[in-house]
Each structure stands twice: as structure tokens, then as C-alpha cells.
Amino acid sequence: MQITPQLALLLISTVCLVCDVKVGADYIPPARFDGFVYGNMAYDSDTILIEAFFDPVCPDSRDSWPSLKRALTYYGSRVSLVVHLLPLPYHDNAFVASRALHIVNALNSSATFPTLEWFFKHQEKFYGAKTQYLSRASIVDEIVKSVTKVVGASYYSSIKNGFNDRKTDLQTRVSFKYSALRGVYGTPFFYVNGFLLPDTGNAVDYNTWRKVIDPLVGKKSVKNEESLHFFL
Ligand SMILES: *[C@@H]1O[C@H](CO)[C@@H](O)[C@H](O)[C@H]1NC(C)=O
């Protein structure tokens, strides 16, 4: 059999595919379900679950967060939020920023959302013309220093070491894969009780959240009244 360039390419890509499957095998399925739970919310089947798919360096994700946060405050324990990360390949430094969130979450999960908010506030430092000549190492360095300010000075070396820990790289890959698995191809995407919110791509405002969630909460209280009558 003659080895043509095409055949060689096919062989190489087959080998790569096999390698990839092997590498993947030790972290898929992951030991923990992907996602960051907002606040101290306990989830049960009566809680309305919002899953938000964010990229920490995405302007639309940033813009959607204040109204979602306001809605979460309004509904309190009736609504839970889990944030999944989708580091988009066309957003500069999205993977590094997402990895920083996994690192912080492992060190102190109460600091995860303040760190996400920090990225939303300062994300412009990490994309576009400003970063095009910066090395990956200098960006990681900048992220380590900045995130340390959010999380606390005593965490500096743990955060820095986190970027050399393969586990945090794998956790970030799991986030990417989980988002892809759910059919998410942009950010922000929102799912409510497992179903995609029809209005995606744009920042969902507070009134939209109320329009979506109010009827669901209403139904729930009707159900509770019914069971109350039953017991009375
Ligand atoms: C964890 O993070 C929260 C929020 O930033 C902070 O209030 C708390 O002191 C931190 N805990 C530790 C042990 O660093």
C-alpha cells in the first residue's frame, strides 16, 4: 500500500482521535456535576432551576447578570441558579478566565460569584487589541494578581499553583463539554427547569424574568394551596 499524503493525514488524525479518547476517558463523566451554585440555595423539586451559561469575558453575559441577580433576590428561595461556563473559542482568554473561576471555586466557593463579577467588570482588559501582543504567561500573571485581590492575599500562591494543576484544566474542559452537550453555542444561554428560554442571545431584562418566572411560581403556590385543602 502506497502512503499518499492523504493517507498519512488520515492515519495521523486517527491516532490523535484515539489519544483524545484516552485522555478524555479519565475525566468524563466528571466526579462532580458541572456548575457553580449561586448563594446558599438548597435545591429541591419545588425550586425553579435557572441554568445560566456564561463566558466571563463575554459582554452579553456581563450585561445580562444584573437583571438576573435582581430576579434571584426577588424570588429568594423559590428560584435557584447554577452557572455553567462556556469559554468561547472566539473570545480572547476565555479559557484562562474560566479556569481562574474553577481555581477560586475550589479554594473558597463563596468567592466564586464575586470573582465572576470582577471578570464582568474588568473583562475589557482581557480581550481585543490591548492583549494581542501579550503572552499567555503575562495574562495568567495578571489574572492571578487581580483575582488574589478579590479572594484575599493569603490565596496568592494557591491561585498561582492552580494554573499548574491539571485538575483545574480538566474541570474547565468539563464545563466546555457540558455546555456543548446541552446544545449551547453562545453566551448567555438560559435554561429554566431544563428547557431553553426562547429569548436567547440578548441580555434578558428583569421584566422578562418576571414574565417567565411569575407564572411558574404562581402554579406552585396553587399546588401548595391544593395540598393544604387536602390536609385540612
Ligand atoms: C471566602 O470568600 C468570602 C467571600 O469573598 C469571604 O467573605 C470569606 O472570608 C472567605 N473565606 C475564607 C476562609 O477565606
Side-chain angles (χ1 to χ4, degrees):
M1 187 169 63
Q2 202 191 346
I3 305 269
T4 62
Q6 287 87 349
L7 184 62
L9 208 61
L10 185 71
L11 284 174
I12 289 167
S13 52
T14 309
V15 168
C16 289
L17 202 66
V18 170
C19 293
D20 196 40
V21 168
K22 272 194 183 154
V23 168
D26 58 7
Y27 70 102
I28 299 289
R32 272 185 84 249
F33 201 85
D34 182 73
F36 305 131
V37 181
Y38 182 69
N40 295 318
M41 292 164 176
Y43 179 75
D44 66 48
S45 57
D46 263 348
T47 315
I48 289 153
L49 176 66
I50 299 177
E51 286 168 281
F53 293 81
F54 284 153
D55 180 334
V57 291
C58 158
D60 291 335
S61 297
R62 171 195 66 198
D63 294 345
S64 73
W65 175 237
S67 44
L68 174 55
K69 197 174 167 183
R70 194 177 150 200
L72 291 167
T73 306
Y74 175 78
Y75 290 111
S77 62
R78 290 174 295 175
V79 176
S80 290
L81 171 73
V82 175
V83 166
H84 302 283
L85 299 176
L86 174 57
L88 288 163
Y90 46 85
H91 285 159
D92 298 333
N93 302 308
F95 195 87
V96 179
S98 299
R99 190 172 177 182
L101 285 165
H102 276 289
I103 293 168
V104 167
N105 190 62
L107 294 170
N108 176 359
S109 60
S110 307
T112 309
F113 280 85
T115 307
L116 178 64
E117 288 181 334
W118 184 89
F119 272 112
F120 282 160
K121 195 167 168 205
H122 300 279
Q123 59 177 216
E124 282 161 21
K125 287 209 290 196
F126 299 106
Y127 54 69
K130 274 178 218 157
T131 61
Q132 67 176 324
Y133 297 116
L134 295 180
S135 69
R136 192 189 127 80
S138 70
I139 286 179
V140 169
D141 209 43
E142 173 69 27
I143 287 180
V144 169
K145 278 190 203 138
S146 305
V147 165
T148 299
K149 282 192 195 132
V150 182
V151 184
S154 60
Y155 287 100
Y156 176 78
S157 40
S158 313
I159 294 169
K160 195 170 154 65
N161 294 340
F163 278 99
N164 298 320
D165 182 350
R166 179 152 165 80
K167 211 165 82 184
T168 67
D169 174 64
L170 296 181
Q171 285 166 340
T172 316
R173 292 184 195 203
V174 165
S175 293
F176 172 83
K177 285 167 197 280
Y178 180 76
S179 301
L181 190 67
R182 295 291 301 275
V184 178
Y185 53 83
T187 52
F189 258 54
F190 301 102
Y191 280 76
V192 176
N193 281 347
F195 285 83
L196 183 62
L197 202 67
D199 183 18
T200 54
N202 299 317
V204 182
D205 65 15
Y206 177 71
N207 291 334
T208 309
W209 281 119
R210 291 292 307 275
K211 259 187 240 158
V212 171
I213 308 289
D214 273 358
L216 308 182
V217 172
K219 271 183 204 155
K220 209 176 76 183
S221 58
V222 168
K223 196 189 111 196
N224 287 345
E225 265 172 33
E226 273 168 6
S227 52
L228 204 62
H229 288 310
F230 180 77
F231 284 113
L232 289 173

